[in-house]
Amino acid sequence: GVQSAQAQLSWGVKGGLNLQKADFDDAMSNLKTDNFTGFFIGPMAEFTIPIVGLGVDGALLYSQKGESEWKQQGIEVPVNLKYTIGLGSMFGIYLAAGPDFFFNFKDIDIENVEAKKTQVAVNLGAGLKLLRKLQVGVTYQIPMGDSFEWKDASQVFGAKNKTWQVSLAYIF
């Protein structure tokens, strides 16, 4: 018989690592940094139309970005359009893209440096869906504005946190 493309809403939990290279504008090159690291974890939801392979997923994550005095902590809300190519009933490959909103709660305690309270980025990601329950993904976040501002005399320099995220999600 013919099956209808029944939309599905699934819930799960998502977590992973934030891996970063801070991208400082020229005058900031004296602040050389290696990979910044942090983690993220929280609940997620996924809305999919199975036969078409199109869906939307979103999450509410506690997220740490950066290291030592540059560490940011806050709530991250990614919302991605997701396209999945099923390879059999137990395996799939997905591509995802969408906005990411980060609300920073932690003040950066460095003189003349201000961390932005709200940051918006664009997510570009891909991953695998395994056994209908697990999702393993990699996402690159491209910031739409500066993550930090450094003020010195009459000059203001910006710095952006470009982030690679490696994630694991479990769908209930």
Side-chain angles (χ1 to χ4, degrees):
V2 177
Q3 287 188 329
S4 65
Q6 194 75 25
Q8 297 172 346
L9 180 61
S10 307
W11 300 91
V13 64
K14 183 177 189 175
L17 292 177
N18 288 319
L19 306 170
Q20 298 175 295
K21 279 276 195 204
D23 178 25
F24 294 100
D25 297 342
D26 26 272
M28 295 298 287
S29 62
N30 57 343
L31 289 176
K32 291 271 187 231
T33 55
D34 289 326
N35 263 338
F36 290 155
T37 59
F39 71 92
F40 58 92
I41 190 163
M44 69 168 284
E46 185 174 68
F47 180 80
T48 53
I49 304 169
I51 294 171
V52 181
L54 209 53
V56 176
D57 80 3
L60 184 63
L61 307 169
Y62 167 77
S63 184
Q64 289 183 337
K65 298 181 178 197
E67 70 174 354
S68 61
E69 67 268 19
W70 297 97
K71 178 84 76 184
Q72 295 178 285
Q73 295 175 30
I75 298 294
E76 186 167 348
V77 184
V79 180
N80 293 308
L81 186 62
K82 204 180 226 179
Y83 179 67
T84 302
I85 300 159
L87 305 171
S89 62
M90 299 303 224
F91 184 73
I93 297 171
Y94 70 83
L95 299 174
D100 186 273
F101 305 95
F102 182 74
F103 304 95
N104 186 37
F105 296 152
K106 185 175 178 237
D107 286 329
I108 304 298
D109 192 20
I110 304 170
E111 195 175 333
N112 298 329
V113 174
E114 180 186 326
K116 297 288 178 101
K117 293 294 180 201
T118 305
Q119 298 160 40
V120 179
V122 171
N123 287 331
L124 298 174
L128 301 175
K129 290 184 175 185
L130 307 166
L131 308 173
R132 294 187 183 145
K133 296 284 184 192
L134 289 177
Q135 296 182 14
V136 180
V138 175
T139 302
Y140 186 58
Q141 290 181 341
I142 304 161
M144 293 293 100
D146 290 336
S147 303
F148 302 99
E149 277 186 355
W150 183 65
K151 300 176 174 91
D152 181 33
S154 62
Q155 300 174 325
V156 176
F157 301 103
K160 294 181 180 184
N161 275 341
K162 294 179 181 172
T163 308
W164 283 97
Q165 289 187 324
V166 179
S167 66
L168 178 64
Y170 181 80
I171 306 299
F172 302 119

